[in-house]
């Protein structure tokens, strides 16, 4: 397997990469609720049954892949956001080198039916991202992190040719008229590198070969009470 690199660098001489602010691997931001969740619900009368039938999503390979794939952009500084009753946007950061822009309501909010959205700020991110030629990044919200105040939306970034990062902060907080604080280091969004290939669809008829291919995977998966995907399939 080839190991590619995504490179992060300050956008100008006023910014530096620090441990508190630099983008990090997604595995550093697994939600606490997921870490605490048991793999299965205990059944004292039948422990084997509990392992095979009373499992939780802690055993689901998809969740583990989500929480361990890609990188996370964090808030580079404390950010205070406020939207007044008259619709005026206000923001503050500790220093003038950190900038916030806005997406006015006529650009998005007025046309989108989700009424939980109070407004959209745009962070002028202090770091750029550079990926190898032919590779971009998918921008994703912090999935399953249960943030009631804001999220950064899904998007595609051409980071092999355009290196600017400007996470859009879609505010959903009911307290936005009082203002919300996003603390330095708060995870904002995932960046998932991807290869920019063209894809089409092909539909296949049933065949024994395909059925056997499917059964083979299921056979290896079901050979263990727990961890069959990572131990018997993804090795």
């Amino acid at each position: 397997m080839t190991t590619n690199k995504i490179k992060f660098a300050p956008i100008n001489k006023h910014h530096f990469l620090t441990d508190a602010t630099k983008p990090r691997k997604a595995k550093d931001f697994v939600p606490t609720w997921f870490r605490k969740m048991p793999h299965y619900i205990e059944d004292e009368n039948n422990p084997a049954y509990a392992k095979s039938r009373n499992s939780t999503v802690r055993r689901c390979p998809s969740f583990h892949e989500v929480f361990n794939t890609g990188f996370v952009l964090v808030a580079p500084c404390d950010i205070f956001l406020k939207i007044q009753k008259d619709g005026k946007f206000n923001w503050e950061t500790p220093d003038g080198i950190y900038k916030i822009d806005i997406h006015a309501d006529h650009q998005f909010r007025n046309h989108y039916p989700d009424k939980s959205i109070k407004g959209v700020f745009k962070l002028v991110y202090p770091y750029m991202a550079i990926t190898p030629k032919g590779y971009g990044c998918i921008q994703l919200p912090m999935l399953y992190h249960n943030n009631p105040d804001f999220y950064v939306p899904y998007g595609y970034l051409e980071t092999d040719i355009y290196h600017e990062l400007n996470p859009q902060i879609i505010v959903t907080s009911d307290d936005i008229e009082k203002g919300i604080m996003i603390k330095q280091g708060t995870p904002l969004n995932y960046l998932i590198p991807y290869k920019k290939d063209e894809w089409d669809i092909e539909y296949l008829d049933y065949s024994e070969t395909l059925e056997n291919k499917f059964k083979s995977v299921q056979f290896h998966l079901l050979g263990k009470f727990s961890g069959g995907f990572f131990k018997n399939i993804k090795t």
Side-chain angles (χ1 to χ4, degrees), residues 2-235:
T2 301
T3 299
N4 291 309
K5 284 187 178 181
I6 181 171
K7 299 177 182 179
F8 295 101
I11 60 174
N12 58 44
K13 65 182 181 181
H14 302 294
H15 296 286
F16 299 88
L17 285 164
T18 70
D19 288 341
T21 63
K22 65 186 180 184
R24 289 155 54 192
K25 290 187 176 181
K27 66 181 182 180
D28 294 337
F29 296 93
V30 178
T32 301
W33 70 265
F34 186 77
R35 290 186 183 277
K36 290 183 176 180
M37 176 184 290
H39 287 81
Y40 55 89
I41 305 302
E42 296 285 354
D43 185 341
E44 294 181 358
N45 297 321
N46 194 339
Y49 178 85
K51 287 188 176 182
S52 61
R53 301 298 181 188
N54 293 351
S55 62
T56 69
V57 297
R58 189 76 161 80
R59 288 183 57 210
C60 177
S62 178
F63 276 84
H64 289 273
E65 296 285 0
V66 166
F67 294 141
N68 287 278
T69 300
F71 307 87
V72 169
L73 302 188
V74 303
C77 63
D78 290 348
I79 301 170
F80 180 76
L81 305 176
K82 182 177 180 179
I83 302 176
Q84 299 176 181
K85 282 188 177 181
D86 61 4
K88 184 178 179 180
F89 286 66
N90 299 101
W91 59 267
E92 293 182 26
T93 58
D95 190 276
I97 64 172
Y98 298 102
K99 302 293 185 181
I100 305 289
D101 201 348
I102 65 169
H103 281 298
D105 287 348
H106 72 268
Q107 294 180 282
F108 174 69
R109 178 174 178 266
N110 291 348
H111 308 280
Y112 190 62
D114 185 354
K115 299 306 178 184
S116 69
I117 295 176
K118 309 303 190 298
V120 184
F121 292 85
K122 184 174 74 172
L123 174 61
V124 180
Y125 207 66
Y127 307 128
M128 68 181 81
I130 304 169
T131 47
K133 183 175 176 59
Y135 290 83
C137 282
I138 300 173
Q139 173 181 283
L140 288 175
M142 296 302 298
L143 301 170
Y144 306 111
H145 278 249
N146 192 34
N147 186 335
D149 290 335
F150 72 90
Y151 67 91
V152 173
Y154 182 99
Y156 277 78
L157 306 177
E158 303 280 352
T159 46
D160 58 339
I161 56 177
Y162 185 78
H163 311 302
E164 187 175 359
L165 300 172
N166 294 137
Q168 304 83 26
I169 301 175
I170 296 183
V171 177
T172 54
S173 174
D174 291 331
D175 296 323
I176 191 59
E177 289 183 10
K178 299 177 182 178
I180 63 171
M181 177 71 77
I182 303 174
K183 301 295 291 182
Q184 184 185 64
T186 299
L188 299 178
N189 63 274
Y190 294 107
L191 281 186
I192 313 294
Y194 74 99
K195 189 175 181 180
K196 297 191 292 184
D197 288 330
E198 292 288 335
W199 289 85
D200 205 342
I201 300 175
E202 180 180 359
Y203 299 100
L204 305 176
D205 293 328
Y206 165 82
S207 72
E208 288 188 7
T209 299
L210 291 176
E211 181 178 355
N212 289 335
K213 182 181 180 67
F214 179 83
K215 286 181 176 179
S216 174
V217 174
Q218 295 301 307
F219 178 81
H220 287 87
L221 179 65
L222 298 176
K224 296 186 69 62
F225 280 124
S226 179
F229 178 80
F230 291 103
K231 294 176 181 178
N232 290 349
I233 297 176
K234 189 176 180 179
T235 57

